Amino acid sequence: MAARVPAGPEDDASAVLDELSRNFTYWAPGPGNGSLSSAWYRRNQKYSHLHLAQKEHPKPYFKSVLWWSGVLLMATGEVGNFAAYGVAPITLIAPLGCMSVTGSAIISVIFLKENLRASDLLGMTLAFAGTYLLVNFAPNMTQDISARTVQYYFVGWQFLVYVILEILVFCILLYFHKRKGMKHIVILLTLVALLASLTVISVKAVSGMITLSVTGKMQLTYAIFYIMLVIMVASCVFQVKFLNQATKLYTMTTVVPVNHVFFTTSAIIAGIIFYQEFLGAALLTVFIYLFGCFLSFLGVFLVTRNRENDHLQQSFIDFGNIPGKQMLDKIQPDSNGLSYGTLPDGSDSTRSQSGEKKEA
């Protein structure tokens, strides 16, 4: 079997950071799914790490201006996204997560010099068209989210029935996942989506009550504020846990579109049931809104389709035909660290003709 080694300095760095890019590309857990600055952050972090890895004496990443600019933009975007839930319907904010995916693809072309494929252009076009329909046909309603309003919705029969059914489904799926060892992507991402519905409900409640408090109508003295705060934090933490399991078992090109569809659908249902956001809406409006969601889902699928395979094709070159090299194994970059070209543990397949083991 012919061995493969990193092609050069840039390919070395790209290979080492391949796993990093998978973790940060096209995904942001929890309610921050729709922030375009998240796309900039994820690509800017890879861009800064890539430049540092190419240097002979790289400095720590936290001393990089590029890295800190990504962190700052990430924080700014997430604060804005959090505030948006307090003033706009969930059924409008949640589907706009497709803009994070398209924004990430555009930034990757500009800064990382990745190829812009025909499927990317088609996907972006569909995502923009879906976004236009979502913005124009989502519920045009504004309501002050006070503590008393949240309490009223919280004890409403619609939400009580919904949360009981959600808990039952969650427990059944968790049983099959934990006790039966079933780790199918649908099970994992359904668990994420069920938690996401509680996340968006609590985020909107917390954001709305903070907004009213800032304007002079203090809401932070009510117990419901802290109940929603605990639900928000807990649901976000467990979302990340199950989503990380999915990303370890499946490629990001599979996880991203499925998670986007599940997350958005769950958030829309939560907004309709808890905040009654489509109450009194015309049937044609609902149909066009759902069609906009479909276009955005299809756009995300096209942008992420086969993108991970493109990264893998750039990480290695064939080393088997170089004269004087006898390679029977694979030399691969260590995705868990910053070392390049190490042989798998215990491998003694790379030897010189004298029988002495060569250093990788």
Side-chain angles (χ1 to χ4, degrees):
M1 182 185 300
R4 296 176 183 267
V5 296
E10 293 185 2
D11 291 325
D12 284 344
S14 179
V16 172
L17 293 167
D18 187 54
E19 185 69 21
L20 178 67
S21 68
R22 292 193 188 109
N23 291 335
F24 284 106
T25 303
Y26 306 134
W27 170 71
N33 209 29
S35 173
L36 183 58
S37 68
S38 298
W40 169 270
Y41 168 78
R42 294 187 290 273
R43 286 303 185 177
N44 197 21
Q45 299 315 289
K46 183 179 178 182
Y47 185 66
S48 61
H49 281 294
L50 188 62
H51 274 264
L52 290 174
Q54 291 175 6
K55 294 182 179 180
E56 184 177 358
H57 301 290
K59 60 183 179 180
Y61 64 90
F62 53 83
K63 293 184 178 180
S64 169
V65 175
L66 277 173
W67 188 85
W68 279 109
S69 65
V71 172
L72 180 61
L73 286 170
M74 175 67 173
T76 304
E78 292 307 317
V79 169
N81 196 59
F82 176 80
Y85 274 97
V87 297
I90 293 175
T91 47
L92 173 61
I93 301 300
L96 295 183
C98 66
M99 298 309 297
S100 178
V101 178
T102 56
S104 183
I106 294 172
I107 291 171
S108 68
V109 172
I110 297 174
F111 289 93
L112 300 181
K113 310 302 180 185
E114 294 184 3
N115 295 327
L116 183 63
R117 308 167 304 174
S119 61
D120 294 334
L121 292 175
L122 178 59
M124 291 177 193
T125 302
L126 292 176
F128 287 137
T131 300
Y132 174 81
L133 295 178
L134 290 170
V135 171
N136 284 277
F137 291 93
N140 185 17
M141 58 177 293
T142 57
Q143 56 177 329
D144 292 333
I145 305 299
S146 64
R148 294 187 181 277
T149 301
V150 175
Q151 288 175 349
Y152 173 77
Y153 288 139
F154 196 82
V155 297
W157 69 267
Q158 300 96 328
F159 177 69
L160 292 178
V161 172
Y162 171 74
V163 77
I164 290 173
L165 291 175
E166 185 173 90
I167 291 173
L168 288 175
V169 173
F170 186 88
C171 290
I172 292 171
L173 292 176
L174 193 62
Y175 170 78
F176 282 107
H177 173 60
K178 293 292 187 180
R179 295 299 180 91
K180 300 297 183 179
M182 298 179 64
K183 301 183 183 299
H184 195 278
I185 187 172
V186 173
I187 292 179
L188 290 171
L189 295 186
T190 301
L191 290 171
V192 173
L194 293 174
L195 291 167
S197 65
L198 297 179
T199 300
V200 294
I201 288 173
S202 56
V203 165
K204 184 174 179 65
V206 171
S207 178
M209 285 186 277
I210 290 177
T211 301
L212 279 182
S213 298
V214 170
T215 59
K217 301 176 181 178
M218 179 55 64
Q219 306 292 314
L220 307 186
T221 56
Y222 291 87
I224 191 66
F225 173 81
Y226 299 97
I227 293 174
M228 286 297 184
L229 184 63
V230 170
I231 294 175
M232 180 183 72
V233 174
S235 60
C236 282
V237 169
F238 285 103
Q239 270 190 84
V240 172
K241 176 184 177 180
F242 291 118
L243 194 53
N244 280 340
Q245 292 183 22
T247 56
K248 288 179 181 179
L249 296 173
Y250 301 92
T251 62
M252 290 303 293
T253 54
T254 302
V255 173
V256 169
V258 176
N259 182 58
H260 176 71
V261 172
F262 282 22
F263 170 88
T264 304
T265 303
S266 177
I268 291 172
I269 294 174
I272 292 174
I273 293 177
F274 191 87
Y275 293 103
Q276 303 176 18
E277 292 182 351
F278 267 105
L279 186 64
L283 183 61
L284 179 61
T285 300
V286 176
F287 174 79
I288 298 177
Y289 171 84
L290 294 177
F291 182 67
C293 290
F294 171 75
L295 291 180
S296 68
F297 294 162
L298 185 58
V300 169
F301 171 78
L302 290 174
V303 171
T304 58
R305 186 177 67 91
N306 295 331
R307 182 169 292 276
E308 191 151 327
N309 293 335
D310 294 342
H311 285 296
L312 293 177
Q313 292 171 1
Q314 299 172 3
S315 299
F316 304 101
I317 61 172
D318 195 346
F319 193 60
N321 296 324
I322 296 180
K325 301 293 183 182
Q326 182 182 3
M327 308 293 287
L328 302 178
D329 210 326
K330 292 182 178 180
I331 295 179
Q332 298 179 341
D334 181 8
S335 62
N336 295 321
L338 291 177
S339 59
Y340 313 145
T342 57
L343 286 170
D345 292 339
S347 174
D348 57 353
S349 58
T350 305
R351 296 180 180 273
S352 64
Q353 294 180 356
S354 63
E356 294 180 356
K357 188 175 181 180
K358 293 182 179 180
E359 293 183 357

